[in-house]
């Protein structure tokens, strides 16, 4: 196995075993923060559609968490959204769990796109260059837009399918999922990547692949 100095951030399943206790604590803490922020976002800034927030503040934290923590970010997103934006806001449990799948899609596509495309475009795979022009443009497209379009399509389809969104509210619902997330991620996530990223990496909490 290569040393950590030689390892690259990518999409391997388990490149740096084992998962450590400090990492598990960090993942649990991130999940708790995400759950609380998801609940606050939906309760405090609703758009009139169940489970949807005008500005889903949690996603501004979730994007850096997923970029750092790999597949554990998908677990965080599923639990945080299913519980915080779903169960705690009154959604039926089956709908809330299905709602959580939307974040698995969002953060899964984020990880695939960001770590998969970063080497080809000459940018950093965990966003350490987000305040450079090239790094920010890549981040804006790949982290602040594309995954949220996919997640927004799924979330809108789900809420329409279960009867929570009438046909005339589909554009508003999708806008809440997508454009609201674009704003939050563009404002919050780069700051966290710059300020907390070096700390998270220094303490060995980042994942080189999906699991470790």
């Amino acid at each position: 196995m290569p040393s950590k100095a030689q390892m690259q951030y990518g999409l391997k399943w388990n490149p740096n075993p084992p998962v450590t206790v400090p990492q598990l604590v960090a993942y649990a803490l991130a999940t708790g923060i995400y759950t609380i922020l998801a609940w606050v976002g939906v309760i405090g800034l609703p758009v009139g559609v169940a489970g949807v927030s005008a500005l889903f503040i949690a996603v501004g934290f979730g994007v850096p968490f997923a970029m750092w923590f790999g597949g554990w970010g998908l677990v965080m997103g599923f639990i945080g959204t299913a519980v915080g934006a779903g169960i705690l806001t009154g959604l039926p449990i089956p709908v809330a769990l299905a709602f959580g799948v939307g974040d698995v899609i969002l953060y899964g596509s984020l990880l695939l796109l960001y770590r998969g495309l970063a080497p080809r475009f000459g940018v950093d795979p965990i966003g350490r260059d987000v305040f450079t022009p090239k790094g920010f443009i890549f981040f804006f497209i790949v982290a602040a837009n594309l995954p949220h379009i996919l997640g927004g399509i799924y979330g809108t389809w789900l809420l329409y399918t279960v009867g929570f969104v009438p046909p005339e509210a589909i554009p508003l619902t999708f806008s809440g999922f997508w454009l609201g997330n674009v704003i939050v991620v563009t404002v919050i996530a780069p700051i966290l990547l710059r300020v907390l990223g070096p700390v998270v990496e220094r303490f060995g909490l980042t994942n080189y692949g999906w699991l470790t």
Side-chain angles (χ1 to χ4, degrees), residues 24 99 119 129 132 157 188 192 203:
L24 291 174
F99 210 39
D129 58 354
T132 67
W157 169 82
I188 295 177
L192 294 179
F203 280 93

Side-chain angles (χ1 to χ4, degrees), residues 34-208:
Y34 192 84
T35 301
I36 294 170
L37 291 174
W39 175 72
V40 170
V42 172
I43 294 297
L45 295 167
V47 296
V49 177
V52 183
S53 172
L55 292 173
F56 192 55
I57 303 298
V59 78
F61 292 78
V63 164
F65 288 161
M67 291 172 67
W68 294 327
F69 301 152
W72 296 96
L74 281 65
V75 176
M76 170 205 71
F78 175 79
I79 295 174
T81 293
V83 176
I87 295 171
L88 294 181
T89 65
L91 289 181
I93 291 179
V95 177
L97 295 177
F99 210 39
V101 173
D103 269 23
V104 175
I105 294 172
L106 192 160
Y107 294 122
S109 62
L110 165 67
L111 204 60
L112 285 169
L113 290 168
Y114 214 98
R115 291 198 179 182
L117 295 176
R120 300 185 183 185
F121 286 88
V123 297
D124 188 81
I126 59 170
R128 287 172 290 198
D129 58 354
V130 70
F131 279 96
T132 67
K134 185 177 182 179
F136 178 79
I137 292 171
F138 184 83
F139 174 87
F140 182 74
I141 295 172
V142 177
N145 268 278
L146 295 180
H148 309 281
I149 292 173
L150 297 176
I153 291 172
Y154 171 82
T156 303
W157 169 82
L158 173 65
L159 294 179
Y160 172 75
T161 300
V162 299
F164 288 3
V165 174
E168 62 272 15
I170 287 177
L172 175 65
T173 305
F174 178 71
S175 296
F177 278 123
W178 173 35
L179 297 179
N181 282 9
V182 170
I183 294 170
V184 171
V185 172
T186 303
V187 172
I188 295 177
I191 297 173
L192 294 179
L193 289 170
R194 168 61 69 86
V195 175
L196 293 183
V199 178
V200 172
E201 196 168 14
R202 187 180 310 123
F203 280 93
L205 302 178
T206 52
N207 278 4
Y208 289 95

Side-chain angles (χ1 to χ4, degrees), residues 5-34:
Q6 297 172 314
M7 295 184 72
Q8 301 293 322
Y9 291 100
L11 295 170
K12 293 182 178 180
W13 173 244
N14 188 22
N16 187 35
V19 180
T20 66
V21 172
Q23 286 176 321
L24 291 174
V25 171
Y27 306 150
L29 181 61
T31 301
I33 292 171
Y34 192 84

